[in-house]
Amino acid sequence: MSVPAITPWVVGNWKMNPMQASAKQLVQELKQLLQNQNIEESDCHMGVAPIALALTDIRAQLHDSSRTVYTVAQDVSRFAGTGAYTGEISAELLQDSGIGFVLVGHSERREYFADTPAILNEKIKNALNANLKVIYCVGESLEQRENGQAELTVLQQICDIAAVVQAEQWNNIIVAYEPIWAIGTGKTASPEDAQAMHAKIREGLSQITPAGKTMAILYGGSVKPENAVELAACPDINGALVGGASLNAESFYKIAQAFANTK
Ligand code: PGA
């Protein structure tokens, strides 16, 4: 099922990288590239997700960029508001610091930090209630794919959140499909396989909400300039969540350019 034009999103997930000086330089280089040859906001939305410590600095540094580049938190607490939760950052505290976006459900959080569907639902509920936009990550493991359970796994992950997302809040969700076996491995899903899964996700979303037809569904997993054009050409791939390649300004810029040019 192809969809009406959806402005793509290209978001860099920096994960636990880099040191502050390198982060500043990376942003400086990205700003320079955008200044030399801008990518129109209407052609591609852009965002970067630095470590929590750097969120406000990077946001400030991006303030005078020639176009909007959103600053995205990599995680949010399952607890709302303020309180005695050592080490945590709530959705309200992110909002209070001017951070309007958050990643929820990244496979690394699910795997290493025991972010269960119940915990992810708390995070999503709090984030949406604090008016954050959520980039919700889903994806199957290699074993699940080999057992023919990729689709079931991913659609279940979509259904998991339906209990906490209010009807009018779906517009504040971006889905990122990231097959776990493709993350940081250099292996990308073929554009055909990625498109097939994206179409299934869109079908699943559309059964839950009318917004499903127009929600952005990003692909993630070893996206680089070399494969971005092909991925961008797929009708239901509306952008990319980029890990490794987002740590290089030129690579990240080129990926955004590929999506901007194709859509
Ligand atoms: P990668 O990471 O691009 O390094 O594979 C993607 C992600 O985990 O978001």
Side-chain angles (χ1 to χ4, degrees), residues 13 15 106-108 178 182-186 220-223 241-245:
N13 175 10
K15 309 191 180 184
H106 192 282
S107 61
E108 287 152 17
E178 302 200 300
I183 296 178
T185 57
S222 299
V223 178
L241 183 55
V242 188

Side-chain angles (χ1 to χ4, degrees), residues 20-180:
Q20 299 270 20
S22 306
K24 283 202 170 60
Q25 193 182 334
L26 175 54
V27 171
Q28 210 43 49
E29 286 170 10
L30 180 62
K31 280 165 69 176
Q32 194 59 55
L33 287 164
L34 290 167
Q35 177 133 30
N36 293 350
Q37 196 184 343
N38 197 23
I39 298 170
E40 293 298 328
E41 183 75 42
S42 54
D43 291 336
C44 185
H45 300 300
M46 295 176 75
V48 292
I51 59 167
L53 272 175
L55 280 168
T56 51
D57 273 2
I58 297 295
R59 177 176 178 269
Q61 203 188 338
L62 284 165
H63 194 67
D64 65 352
S65 169
S66 54
R67 54 153 291 155
T68 304
V69 179
Y70 296 97
T71 311
V72 179
Q74 294 180 17
D75 190 29
V76 62
S77 179
R78 61 192 280 214
F79 297 102
T82 53
Y85 301 105
T86 304
E88 289 291 272
I89 303 176
S90 70
E92 287 80 0
L93 290 172
L94 288 172
Q95 185 64 264
D96 184 53
S97 292
I99 305 302
F101 290 81
V102 64
L103 300 180
V104 177
H106 192 282
S107 61
E108 287 152 17
R109 299 285 327 165
R110 293 181 194 255
E111 184 180 350
Y112 306 133
F113 303 97
D115 270 6
T116 60
I119 289 173
L120 295 176
N121 273 358
E122 292 298 316
K123 292 183 173 191
I124 288 187
K125 190 173 69 183
N126 293 340
L128 293 173
N129 287 344
N131 289 322
L132 298 182
K133 291 195 180 6
V134 170
I135 302 174
Y136 176 58
C137 306
V138 297
E140 81 285 358
S141 65
L142 186 58
E143 198 187 347
Q144 287 164 328
R145 176 154 285 259
E146 285 173 346
N147 290 341
Q149 290 179 324
E151 213 174 274
L152 195 75
T153 304
V154 168
L155 291 178
Q156 181 59 54
Q157 290 168 337
I158 297 288
C159 286
D160 285 344
I161 67 168
V164 289
V165 182
Q166 314 276 319
E168 72 284 1
Q169 292 177 325
W170 284 100
N171 284 321
N172 288 334
I173 296 196
I174 293 168
V175 171
Y177 168 58
E178 302 200 300
I180 299 171

Side-chain angles (χ1 to χ4, degrees), residues 170-238:
W170 284 100
N171 284 321
N172 288 334
I173 296 196
I174 293 168
V175 171
Y177 168 58
E178 302 200 300
I180 299 171
W181 47 271
I183 296 178
T185 57
K187 289 185 198 147
T188 328
S190 68
E192 295 75 28
D193 284 350
Q195 164 56 30
M197 184 63 90
H198 280 234
K200 287 284 168 204
I201 294 172
R202 186 164 308 289
E203 207 179 294
L205 285 169
S206 301
Q207 281 170 18
I208 300 172
T209 167
K213 289 188 174 52
T214 49
M215 285 169 64
I217 306 172
L218 319 186
Y219 172 79
S222 299
V223 178
K224 26 187 194 283
E226 294 77 23
N227 55 29
V229 175
E230 267 190 320
L231 289 165
C234 300
D236 288 296
I237 300 186
N238 318 114

